[in-house]
Amino acid sequence: MSASSLSGYEVVHLAALPGVPCPCGTARRGLAEVVDYPGTIHLTEISSDAKLHYHKQLTETYYILECDADAQMQLDDARIDLKPGMLVMIRPGTRHRAIGKMKILNIVYPKFDPSDEWFDE
């Protein structure tokens, strides 16, 4: 549900949005149709088989809501351990994937564009 932008605000129930397959698992993308908002916010459930990918234009910020104790993030050749409450900002060109099951908020600038998902394979 979204309020009219004429009212000065937007309301989105992310969990109620339809899930869309993505390289990480399933994303529920909010604010995509709001013209005057410069990004999108995704509630994403990461599957255990997330694919290594990168973006040429998009900056993503992962906020970890829930994750398994052994959850990690691959960022180029590095791996970092994750726990709830962590924030990971990923610049364009950085190859990345989440490792292990988790639920995140993904804040994307500019607005998410599925044509800006790139794979080395």
Side-chain angles (χ1 to χ4, degrees):
M1 173 178 133
S2 179
S4 167
S5 60
L6 296 176
S7 66
Y9 63 88
E10 301 289 332
V11 177
V12 178
H13 184 202
L14 286 174
L17 294 176
V20 178
C22 66
C24 298
T26 302
R28 300 173 193 288
R29 298 179 177 137
L31 303 174
E33 286 82 31
V34 179
V35 175
D36 62 337
Y37 186 73
T40 53
I41 299 179
H42 310 187
L43 177 62
T44 304
E45 293 182 36
I46 307 287
S47 61
S48 57
D49 60 347
K51 295 182 173 121
L52 186 67
H53 66 286
Y54 64 100
H55 308 282
K56 293 181 181 180
Q57 303 296 321
L58 302 175
T59 296
E60 295 184 303
T61 303
Y62 284 31
Y63 178 77
I64 312 306
L65 297 168
E66 305 169 7
C67 65
D68 291 341
D70 59 349
Q72 293 186 316
M73 185 113 208
Q74 179 179 348
L75 300 158
D76 289 327
D77 294 327
R79 284 191 182 201
I80 59 168
D81 294 330
L82 298 176
K83 62 182 178 180
M86 291 180 75
L87 192 69
V88 180
M89 192 269 291
I90 307 163
R91 291 183 176 88
T94 303
R95 281 139 178 88
H96 60 281
R97 71 180 176 116
I99 301 166
K101 290 186 178 182
M102 63 189 79
K103 186 183 286 189
I104 67 162
L105 274 181
N106 186 6
I107 301 131
V108 182
Y109 289 100
K111 285 192 180 295
F112 179 76
D113 178 358
S115 69
D116 190 28
E117 289 182 315
W118 302 91
F119 304 89
D120 290 329
E121 10 179 288

